Amino acid sequence: MWSGRSVFIMAAIGSAVGLGNIWRFPYVAYENGGGAFLIPYLIALLTAGIPLLFVDYALGHKFRGSPPLAFRRFARGSEFLGWWQVFVCFVIGVYYAVIVAWAACYTYFSITEQWGDDPEAFFLEEFLHIDSAASFGLDFVPGVTWPLLLVWVAVLGVLALGVQRGIGNANRIFVPLLVLLFGALVIRALFLDGAVEGLNAFFTPNWDALTDTGVWIAAYAQIFFSLSVAFGIMLTYSSYLKKKTNLTGSGLVVGFSNSSFEVLAGIGVFSALGFMAQAQGVQVGEVVAGGIGLAFIAFPAIVSQMPGGPIFGVLFFASLVFAGFTSMISIIQVTVSAFEDKTGLGKVPAVLIIGGASAVVSLLLFPTTTGLNTLDVVDRFANQFGIVGVAFAAIVVIAWVLRRLPELRDHLNSVSSFKVGLVWQLFVGVITPIVLGYMLISEISDRVQEGYGGLPDSLVVTFGWGVQGAVIVLAIAMSFVPWRRDVDLTYSIDDDPSPSVSVPAPPGDTHTDGTSKPGGVL
């Protein structure tokens, strides 16, 4: 159990603020109307992001379990939704780790600007040793493999310490450190020559973009992907809260903190891009990049051209490490906690077995000469099909099949200062499924017709469609596996008379209803 609400908020912010906040939001905002994008982005936050966050908090807190257990207690036939979330997290975790490892390596490379005069060639050829002729292979790159192994050791070590001593304390250290480092980076970037031009490019509104439905879909997509909603993380974290906890107040703090960091990231990134554009004598639009290209190609080029570049590089890549590390802890915790609940495994055995399996898969697939293309496919399908698909299915089941949004609303209102009502139900039950359904159908249509990124069909079919299909099949299969005998499948915190809902821990870890529980009561 969290020692207090502040620790939970810090952990939730640590999960929400990840790599996408730094390298995805600035690019998406620039491509979708600049300053005008902030309007649909804020509307998406208020009508979908925060309302969905409240759903996760209500489910986790009321039914006190990992996603499969919480959904099983919620309704017998909905357990597969929890397992779907768990396996989506498993897939994301195995590739997310290698990006954290890359960032750790580049933190060191920044000291001497090891990428030289051609950051792109260094990243693709010298660092990753990309084999462009192969679709998939197992030729390992030692310079990536060993850092990736260390990342996994660190993550599993934190998880093995438990919820409070491990996850809670890690986030209390790394989240403030992330804010401090990135804040220093932004201040440095603002004083670069050309920073004003970069900020003008980022904030100058294109009001015509507001009439484009694609811009609105991009805003909702950014909120879904950056806020860690609807795929088990916030549900799991909220299950460790005490009985009387201000859920909606916490959600508002987490939601607005995440978005504030994204805007801060946009300011820092575009100040730096403005400097790069001026140094090269081109327009800002010609140097704008997003994702991996921004982090590992564009930013090293900026570092090489600016005064005090090594310091700027260390700040940037260390920020990526901390942002990625805190998010990765939350992702792997979902998978570990689910199997603890189902099987009764103790904390450390579950971390070693489930977390260890994730590490093995990660180490087999991604630190290879074909790992970048594999990561690209898995990432795209996990986000656009995994997260969007399970979020859409969960909301339809909760709001329309079971019609139990009023029950979750009542639970939120019973413990929270900010009350929700019919408007919240409208946002969750109508607006969110319409947007998610549109996103899902559009993505399926595009991928079927166009493939993905010009990559080999065999790679896309295996690691895209195949992996997401396997996730759904495994989720359904796991829902038929019997629960251990001592778990109470009808438990609800609202029916528990205990004021704290906390019991002495038997050997191993327990949850607040007295059953064996992920991470444990520390």
Side-chain angles (χ1 to χ4, degrees):
M1 183 184 292
W2 304 116
S3 62
R5 175 169 167 251
S6 62
V7 180
F8 162 70
I9 290 175
M10 197 70 73
I13 292 173
S15 173
V17 174
L19 300 174
N21 297 66
I22 298 173
W23 73 28
R24 191 177 191 274
F25 173 79
Y27 178 77
V28 170
Y30 174 78
E31 289 289 298
N32 290 279
F37 179 76
L38 296 178
I39 294 175
Y41 175 80
L42 181 60
I43 291 174
L45 174 67
L46 296 176
T47 62
I50 291 177
L52 271 183
L53 201 59
F54 291 170
V55 172
D56 279 351
Y57 286 0
L59 278 170
H61 186 254
K62 179 178 174 66
F63 297 105
R64 314 303 282 173
S66 61
L69 181 57
F71 272 101
R72 175 63 179 80
R73 287 170 167 170
F74 180 63
R76 184 183 183 90
S78 66
E79 181 185 334
F80 81 96
L81 292 169
W83 285 110
W84 191 353
Q85 293 182 344
V86 167
F87 288 115
V88 166
C89 283
F90 179 90
V91 171
I92 293 173
V94 297
Y95 74 77
Y96 206 88
V98 77
I99 305 175
V100 178
W102 293 348
C105 291
Y106 266 71
T107 305
Y108 172 73
F109 295 160
S110 296
I111 297 173
T112 59
E113 299 178 11
Q114 193 169 328
W115 47 76
D117 297 328
D118 192 344
E120 182 174 5
F122 175 83
F123 178 64
L124 298 176
E125 298 171 15
E126 294 184 44
F127 180 54
L128 297 183
H129 297 280
I130 293 299
D131 183 354
S132 57
S135 60
F136 179 73
L138 294 175
D139 296 323
F140 292 95
V141 181
V144 179
T145 304
W146 290 112
L148 177 57
L149 178 61
L150 292 177
V151 168
W152 277 108
V153 169
V155 168
L156 299 186
V158 168
L159 294 179
L161 289 173
V163 172
Q164 178 59 38
R165 286 194 301 144
I167 301 172
N169 288 341
N171 280 283
R172 288 205 301 190
I173 295 170
F174 291 132
V175 171
L177 193 56
L178 166 63
V179 173
L180 181 64
L181 289 177
F182 202 79
L185 182 147
V186 170
I187 292 172
R188 177 67 186 92
L190 285 171
F191 287 94
L192 292 172
D193 294 334
V196 173
E197 285 72 18
L199 292 176
N200 286 337
F202 179 58
F203 283 113
T204 299
N206 173 16
W207 299 114
D208 292 339
L210 297 181
T211 62
D212 183 353
T213 57
V215 171
W216 288 83
I217 294 300
Y220 278 89
Q222 177 62 30
I223 288 295
F224 290 136
F225 299 148
S226 73
L227 203 50
S228 295
V229 292
F231 62 108
I233 294 173
M234 294 304 179
L235 190 158
T236 302
Y237 273 10
S238 62
S239 73
Y240 306 134
L241 285 166
K242 297 175 181 179
K243 185 173 184 178
K244 294 297 182 181
T245 300
N246 187 348
L247 297 179
T248 58
S250 300
L252 291 172
V253 172
V254 172
F256 283 107
S257 296
N258 175 73
S259 293
S260 298
F261 189 91
E262 289 198 315
V263 174
L264 181 68
I267 293 172
V269 166
F270 270 84
S271 295
L273 290 173
F275 165 79
M276 184 178 179
Q278 178 171 299
Q280 296 181 0
V282 299
Q283 296 296 313
V284 174
E286 297 181 47
V287 298
V288 171
I292 291 171
L294 170 69
F296 298 103
I297 297 174
F299 256 84
I302 294 170
V303 168
S304 295
Q305 296 176 38
M306 66 181 291
I311 297 175
F312 186 84
V314 168
L315 289 174
F316 177 75
F317 289 109
S319 296
L320 287 186
V321 172
F322 293 137
F325 188 75
T326 52
S327 295
M328 190 180 162
I329 289 172
S330 66
I331 292 168
I332 304 303
Q333 176 65 10
V334 173
T335 63
V336 171
S337 66
F339 283 92
E340 277 188 87
D341 276 351
K342 189 79 170 186
T343 65
L345 281 170
K347 173 183 59 183
V348 175
V351 169
L352 294 178
I353 294 171
I354 307 304
S358 302
V360 169
V361 173
S362 179
L363 287 161
L364 283 175
L365 294 181
F366 298 108
T368 66
T369 56
T370 58
L372 180 61
N373 285 345
T374 304
L375 184 153
D376 191 14
V377 173
V378 174
D379 173 56
R380 177 72 181 203
F381 278 75
N383 281 279
Q384 301 291 345
F385 294 104
I387 294 176
V388 174
V390 72
F392 175 74
I395 292 303
V396 168
V397 169
I398 293 169
W400 293 103
V401 177
L402 300 175
R403 297 182 178 273
R404 291 178 65 180
L405 276 180
E407 177 184 339
L408 299 181
R409 176 204 62 204
D410 292 343
H411 178 72
L412 289 169
N413 290 340
S414 70
V415 296
S416 303
S417 58
F418 177 81
K419 309 299 181 183
V420 298
L422 184 60
V423 173
W424 173 76
Q425 291 178 238
L426 176 67
F427 289 159
V428 173
V430 179
I431 294 178
T432 298
I434 289 174
V435 174
L436 288 171
Y438 181 86
M439 289 168 59
L440 190 62
I441 293 170
S442 297
E443 183 68 14
I444 291 174
S445 175
D446 290 345
R447 297 291 71 78
V448 169
Q449 295 178 25
E450 304 169 10
Y452 178 61
L455 295 172
D457 289 342
S458 59
L459 194 70
V460 175
V461 169
T462 301
F463 291 100
W465 300 108
V467 167
Q468 292 309 310
V471 162
I472 296 174
V473 171
L474 286 170
I476 295 173
M478 282 300 299
S479 68
F480 286 100
V481 174
W483 286 87
R484 70 187 195 279
R485 293 182 178 180
D486 63 333
V487 66
D488 181 357
L489 297 177
T490 63
Y491 179 85
S492 167
I493 198 172
D494 293 337
D495 301 328
D496 196 317
S498 170
S500 63
V501 200
S502 183
V503 297
D509 291 318
T510 66
H511 198 176
T512 50
D513 63 350
T515 59
S516 177
K517 180 61 194 141
V521 179
L522 298 176

